[in-house]
Amino acid sequence: MDKKITALTLQKKNRERINVFLNDEFAFGLSKFVAAWLKVGQVLSEDKIAQLLAEDEIEVAYQRALKFIAHRIRSKKEVTQRLRKYPTPADVIEIVLARLEEKEYLNDEAFARAWVENRVEFRPRSTFLLRQELRQKGVGDDVIDVVLEELDDEVLAQSAADAFLRKIAHLDDEQKFREKLYGHLARKGFTYAMTADILTNEWQKLQDDF
């Protein structure tokens, strides 16, 4: 049964949404974007109402996703997990992800590069750990391979050591110095083979400074 729009009003608590009244009774709310073409006196079929509600569900999820990625770049998996919390139907999530990718707001390679660059600069760790972290974020191995291909674990290990050395510079026992430094590097995912030269060289530098 067709119904006539008798009023369109802004919601008091959310000025981005419109209250739709059909036959003088409140029927449902819609986002401004979905409701933009509606006008008082317009007649809506049941199919059209269903279409509007479906479009609104997608728009609400899309705006939630935009808000989520506004603070920092996110992976597809992170956006998916976020939308599932509301919850959001799987087909709606797929549509939202596709729209975000089309507009280049969502790109797992860009996410992976940003993640790695941040880690390398502020919290250096091995490519093994970086790979694990990116997998947990839902990034595919093919993308991870591309992002990590230019990294050198020995360079990363040196960076990780440099960030930690000031904490152990006071140690005058070589064994304790090496144990502390290696323990730190091991927790960052570096093997002894990657760090052996660093342990020796940094201890020697410390002695040369005295």
Side-chain angles (χ1 to χ4, degrees):
M1 178 179 173
D2 293 349
K3 297 182 179 180
K4 181 183 292 187
I5 299 175
T6 51
L8 297 167
T9 62
L10 282 175
Q11 292 186 0
K12 293 181 179 179
K13 293 184 177 181
N14 187 345
R15 309 298 284 182
E16 295 302 313
R17 293 188 64 77
I18 302 293
N19 289 324
V20 179
F21 291 80
L22 301 177
N23 297 343
D24 296 320
E25 294 183 356
F26 171 76
F28 45 80
L30 296 174
S31 69
K32 279 185 176 180
F33 179 80
V34 175
W37 68 278
L38 299 179
K39 59 184 179 180
V40 174
Q42 188 174 355
V43 175
L44 301 178
S45 66
E46 292 294 336
D47 287 345
K48 190 60 181 179
I49 292 173
Q51 179 186 338
L52 287 169
L53 294 176
E55 290 176 358
D56 185 65
E57 186 173 37
I58 293 170
E59 183 62 22
V60 168
Y62 182 66
Q63 292 302 323
R64 282 173 176 163
L66 286 179
K67 185 176 180 180
F68 182 57
I69 65 178
H71 303 292
R72 69 169 177 82
I73 190 168
R74 305 279 185 173
S75 68
K76 287 176 63 177
K77 182 178 180 180
E78 286 180 312
V79 175
T80 298
Q81 291 175 331
R82 182 72 172 188
L83 292 178
R84 283 176 178 167
K85 289 182 178 180
Y86 285 95
T88 308
D91 59 332
V92 172
I93 292 176
E94 288 183 12
I95 293 171
V96 170
L97 293 178
R99 186 185 296 182
L100 291 171
E101 288 181 309
E102 181 182 357
K103 293 181 178 293
E104 298 185 355
Y105 295 155
L106 195 62
N107 182 301
D108 271 1
E109 182 173 336
F111 165 81
R113 289 190 183 281
W115 180 272
V116 169
E117 287 172 5
N118 181 271
R119 283 291 197 247
V120 169
E121 182 173 359
F122 299 108
R123 300 174 66 185
R125 60 205 52 215
S126 69
T127 55
F128 175 77
L129 282 189
L130 288 171
R131 181 177 294 276
Q132 283 191 323
E133 290 177 347
L134 291 173
R135 281 175 174 169
Q136 290 173 354
K137 295 296 182 180
V139 180
D141 282 339
D142 55 338
V143 173
I144 295 175
D145 289 341
V146 171
V147 172
L148 298 184
E149 65 179 352
E150 296 181 0
L151 293 182
D152 186 321
D153 271 309
E154 291 187 4
V155 174
L156 293 173
Q158 184 64 61
S159 295
D162 292 342
F164 185 71
L165 285 170
R166 60 184 176 81
K167 295 183 179 181
I168 58 173
H170 63 284
L171 295 176
D172 56 8
D173 182 284
E174 181 178 1
Q175 185 63 27
K176 289 183 178 179
F177 177 88
R178 293 172 71 95
E179 287 177 355
K180 289 284 187 181
L181 182 52
Y182 177 64
H184 173 73
L185 295 176
R187 288 190 293 275
K188 297 294 184 179
F190 299 106
T191 65
Y192 183 78
M194 297 174 187
T195 61
D197 288 344
I198 294 174
L199 300 178
T200 300
N201 293 339
E202 293 304 331
W203 172 254
Q204 188 58 54
K205 288 179 185 177
L206 189 60
Q207 301 315 297
D208 292 343
D209 290 339
F210 287 143

